[in-house]
Amino acid sequence: MSQYVATLRPIIQSQLRVPAELRAMGMSGTATVEFEVSPSGRVIWARVIKRSPLGAVNRAALAAIKRGNFPPFLKKMPKKNTIFEIPLEVGADAND
């Protein structure tokens, strides 16, 4: 499972769009997103479970998950929908 999670992070980071308002203010924050993925790699649902005080951070983190095009599960993974939880840093200093 940890190997699959390691493949998700770069995919999510590549989909992360830092809002102009955060760039302009030089601000950043972290939001933890929980999401369910099918064995085929499709996102079923996603929600922010640990919010940043900055709404733009929460919206950007959630959008990055929803845009994710994840690979199918690895052979040794369960063949059922699985819930993941990943903290994402969003902002002027974050890589995007």
Side-chain angles (χ1 to χ4, degrees):
M1 189 71 74
S2 62
Q3 185 180 359
Y4 185 79
V5 172
T7 65
L8 295 182
R9 185 165 292 281
I11 293 169
I12 295 166
Q13 285 298 135
S14 74
Q15 297 299 320
L16 194 58
R17 306 291 180 259
V18 178
E21 62 200 81
L22 293 179
R23 279 190 206 279
M25 295 184 292
M27 299 180 77
S28 64
T30 302
T32 300
V33 182
E34 179 180 68
F35 54 102
E36 184 175 3
V37 178
S38 73
S40 68
R42 185 174 61 91
V43 175
I44 306 298
W45 56 262
R47 65 182 177 169
V48 177
I49 58 170
K50 288 186 183 174
R51 296 187 171 282
S52 165
L54 302 170
V57 168
N58 301 320
R59 289 187 298 276
L62 190 58
I65 298 295
K66 290 182 176 182
R67 278 193 294 270
N69 186 12
F70 303 133
F73 287 178
L74 303 173
K75 288 183 181 183
K76 293 184 179 181
M77 291 177 65
K79 298 301 177 206
K80 63 179 184 171
N81 292 356
T82 303
I83 296 173
F84 298 93
E85 182 180 310
I86 295 183
L88 295 170
E89 184 176 348
V90 181
D93 297 330
N95 294 335
D96 63 320

